[in-house]
Amino acid sequence: MTTQPRRTLAPGAWDALVLVALTNAMSLLDRQILAILAPAIKKDLNIGDAEMGLLYGTVFALFYALFSLPVGRLADGWVRTRLLAISLLFWSAATGLAGVASSFAMLALSRLGVGIGEAATQPAGTSLIFDFWPKHRRGFVMSVMASAIALGLGGSLVLGGVAAHEWDAAYTAGTAPFGLKGWQFAFLVAAAPGFILAAFLWNLREPARGQMDGIETPRDPHPFRASFALLGSVTPGFHWIGMKDRGASAGMVRGNLLALAGIVVVAMLLTAISTAVSPKPAMAIGAVSINPHVLQWSVIGLGAFVIVNLMQGMKLGDRQAFRVISRSPTLMMCIAVGTLQSVINYGMMAFNPSFLIRSYGLTMQETALQFGLLSAGMGIIGPLVWGPLSDWLNQRFPGGGRAWVALFAMAVSPVLSFWVYYAGDPASFYARFLIYSFILTGWMPPLYAIMYDQVLPRMRGLTASLYLLVMTILGMGIGPYVVGLLSDATGSLRTAMLSINVVAIPIAVLMVLIARRAERDQAALLERAAG
């Protein structure tokens, strides 16, 4: 049943926006703090840039992406405020584990836990907020989310760098309590605020699902059963049991096996190429020694196979969602664009602090305060300008208005990056980075608003999970590792970072196509849902 969409805010909308935004900020803070601490971690654990890329992207990415699926499905049927609170508690505890880590294996375990916990942030948060705010204000809502992400990103640099520096300055070698190093103390500090925020989320009122879109959404009687079923349907090995139970055709099973074979071949090829570009010794993970290139591309291959399983499982278990998602070219292109942009963003973000320290001789504390505050400030200001602007333009040019804003941001910023990263001194770098980062922040609010308007309210958690899975595995999982790999191979971090901008070319092409058909695909939403 449908009614007229609401145009006024639901009670508690501002409280919900603040709390969900802070949850996003905490997510980025705990995720990105590794970047500023990387030089100290590399020195203490004797690892290289490629291994840091594994910790920053690949290890985190697989579990973040995999668990975003069941929690995304849970967000579509259970109490989203409770789900966010529990997830926040879990990843805060995992961040604290890094505070006592003394090996690569323990850090990898911590990153694994952070990935699992943070998986609920975007599916549950987006679904929750969209039931408090009307459609015509969602560009603004996503701009607040983007600003919160920037706050977390900048805050991670400031908090991590300052906490680590002050701890190391206060204690000479061997005198620190429990033998903690500065970088370990920084992880413990980063973990603490999450426990407080979780209490506020637990007590936030849950809104009626679909109330803002005028689409009545019945209560899901078995959300946990559906969530675990989805996890089983995508987990390699278990998914074949699920396919049999749900009556998958022989052709679908053959397609699944062919996809697996293709992924294995591509993973082996990429491992061989990576080994030729930058040979690496075997890396000890507990009692097991493994080539880091084998680990990298095995994880990416596993994630790619999970994507295949998800789409096939959706086709078998939720045909309406499969139709709505797969038959929207705009949605498919938005996912591709967000993924490619994440290759650039995460590839650059993972090594920005290291670049400043190496290129300009800055200390960790100087980098943390200067670059951290600058990143946070521009990351907050930029989306709050671009989000409302995209809403305003979309009122006048439906569909295309938001798309052209995103296209401008994603096409111009890679060109500017060469000007920024060839600055001769820190002051010039920061001055140029102001312009670059302001423009770059314009991509996320309009793109996300376009994407989530392409599906029914009950499918937003699942859509966010699908997007996160693809973006995380193929964006976050590849960007930092490739930059680290090229840096180790060429000896030039600047060259490695700038090379990743080549993916801006297909981004621009796809955004032009989105601008041309976003409104048409959104208008056909109910038709796709009806079959």
Side-chain angles (χ1 to χ4, degrees), residues 148-293:
I149 288 171
L151 178 63
L153 173 61
S156 71
L157 301 180
V158 175
L159 185 148
V162 172
H165 173 83
E166 293 298 325
W167 184 267
D168 285 336
Y171 299 101
T172 57
T175 66
F178 308 106
L180 293 178
K181 303 291 182 64
W183 62 267
Q184 294 172 310
F185 175 70
F187 277 117
L188 294 174
V189 174
F195 296 98
I196 300 171
L197 180 58
F200 285 95
L201 282 166
W202 186 268
N203 291 295
L204 181 66
R205 182 185 68 84
E206 178 79 4
R209 198 180 301 268
Q211 65 178 350
M212 285 296 160
D213 297 82
I215 300 175
E216 183 178 323
T217 305
R219 179 179 173 273
D220 187 338
H222 304 292
F224 285 92
R225 182 189 302 174
S227 177
F228 284 114
L230 178 57
L231 179 61
S233 72
V234 300
T235 302
F238 293 101
H239 78 287
W240 285 312
I241 300 173
M243 291 180 75
K244 179 182 177 182
D245 290 343
R246 287 183 291 178
S249 66
M252 183 174 286
V253 174
R254 282 196 301 271
N256 187 269
L257 293 173
L258 286 173
L260 176 59
I263 289 169
V264 170
V265 170
V266 172
M268 292 174 64
L269 179 62
L270 290 172
T271 298
I273 293 172
S274 301
T275 301
V277 170
S278 180
K280 287 283 183 181
M283 184 172 56
I285 301 180
V288 179
S289 294
I290 186 170
N291 184 303
H293 299 311

Side-chain angles (χ1 to χ4, degrees), residues 153-516:
L153 173 61
S156 71
L157 301 180
V158 175
L159 185 148
V162 172
H165 173 83
E166 293 298 325
W167 184 267
D168 285 336
Y171 299 101
T172 57
T175 66
F178 308 106
L180 293 178
K181 303 291 182 64
W183 62 267
Q184 294 172 310
F185 175 70
F187 277 117
L188 294 174
V189 174
F195 296 98
I196 300 171
L197 180 58
F200 285 95
L201 282 166
W202 186 268
N203 291 295
L204 181 66
R205 182 185 68 84
E206 178 79 4
R209 198 180 301 268
Q211 65 178 350
M212 285 296 160
D213 297 82
I215 300 175
E216 183 178 323
T217 305
R219 179 179 173 273
D220 187 338
H222 304 292
F224 285 92
R225 182 189 302 174
S227 177
F228 284 114
L230 178 57
L231 179 61
S233 72
V234 300
T235 302
F238 293 101
H239 78 287
W240 285 312
I241 300 173
M243 291 180 75
K244 179 182 177 182
D245 290 343
R246 287 183 291 178
S249 66
M252 183 174 286
V253 174
R254 282 196 301 271
N256 187 269
L257 293 173
L258 286 173
L260 176 59
I263 289 169
V264 170
V265 170
V266 172
M268 292 174 64
L269 179 62
L270 290 172
T271 298
I273 293 172
S274 301
T275 301
V277 170
S278 180
K280 287 283 183 181
M283 184 172 56
I285 301 180
V288 179
S289 294
I290 186 170
N291 184 303
H293 299 311
V294 172
L295 176 61
Q296 160 69 17
W297 297 115
S298 296
V299 169
I300 296 301
L302 182 61
F305 191 45
V306 168
I307 296 171
V308 173
N309 294 342
L310 172 64
M311 295 306 293
Q312 286 192 318
M314 192 190 308
K315 187 174 183 179
L316 287 170
D318 191 343
R319 291 185 179 275
Q320 186 186 51
F322 183 80
R323 288 195 307 270
V324 168
I325 292 171
S326 65
R327 294 182 185 178
S328 169
T330 294
L331 178 55
M332 294 290 99
M333 289 189 290
C334 282
I335 291 174
V337 165
T339 300
L340 291 171
Q341 187 63 38
S342 294
V343 171
I344 298 176
N345 289 358
Y346 283 109
M348 303 285 274
M349 286 192 301
F351 293 99
N352 271 327
S354 296
F355 171 80
L356 290 168
I357 291 169
R358 294 184 202 179
S359 300
Y360 303 120
L362 300 177
T363 66
M364 182 188 295
Q365 185 183 38
E366 289 171 335
T367 303
L369 289 173
Q370 296 168 5
F371 186 68
L373 291 173
L374 176 64
S375 299
M378 295 310 300
I380 292 170
I381 294 170
L384 292 177
V385 173
W386 294 112
L389 175 63
S390 71
D391 282 342
W392 181 80
L393 285 173
N394 206 61
Q395 297 275 345
R396 286 148 185 79
F397 309 100
R402 284 176 175 150
W404 291 117
V405 171
L407 172 61
F408 173 78
M410 291 187 280
V412 173
S413 56
V415 177
L416 287 178
S417 68
F418 287 84
W419 177 56
V420 174
Y421 286 86
Y422 274 101
D425 55 75
S428 299
F429 176 90
Y430 291 139
R432 297 176 185 185
F433 191 84
L434 279 172
I435 301 171
Y436 165 77
S437 61
F438 176 74
I439 293 174
L440 177 61
T441 56
W443 77 273
M444 186 184 292
L447 185 74
Y448 281 24
I450 293 170
M451 181 165 62
Y452 293 122
D453 278 345
Q454 292 290 323
V455 299
L456 297 174
R458 78 163 186 87
M459 300 171 187
R460 286 187 182 127
L462 180 61
T463 303
S465 297
L466 172 63
Y467 169 69
L468 281 177
L469 177 62
V470 179
M471 180 273 288
T472 305
I473 290 296
L474 303 181
M476 184 191 300
I478 292 178
Y481 186 78
V482 168
V483 171
L485 179 73
L486 292 175
S487 175
D488 287 342
T490 64
S492 172
L493 183 55
R494 176 188 284 114
T495 298
M497 294 174 72
L498 292 176
S499 296
I500 208 73
N501 285 289
V502 69
V503 300
I505 297 171
I507 287 174
V509 174
L510 288 170
M511 282 309 308
V512 170
L513 296 175
I514 290 171
R516 292 171 63 90

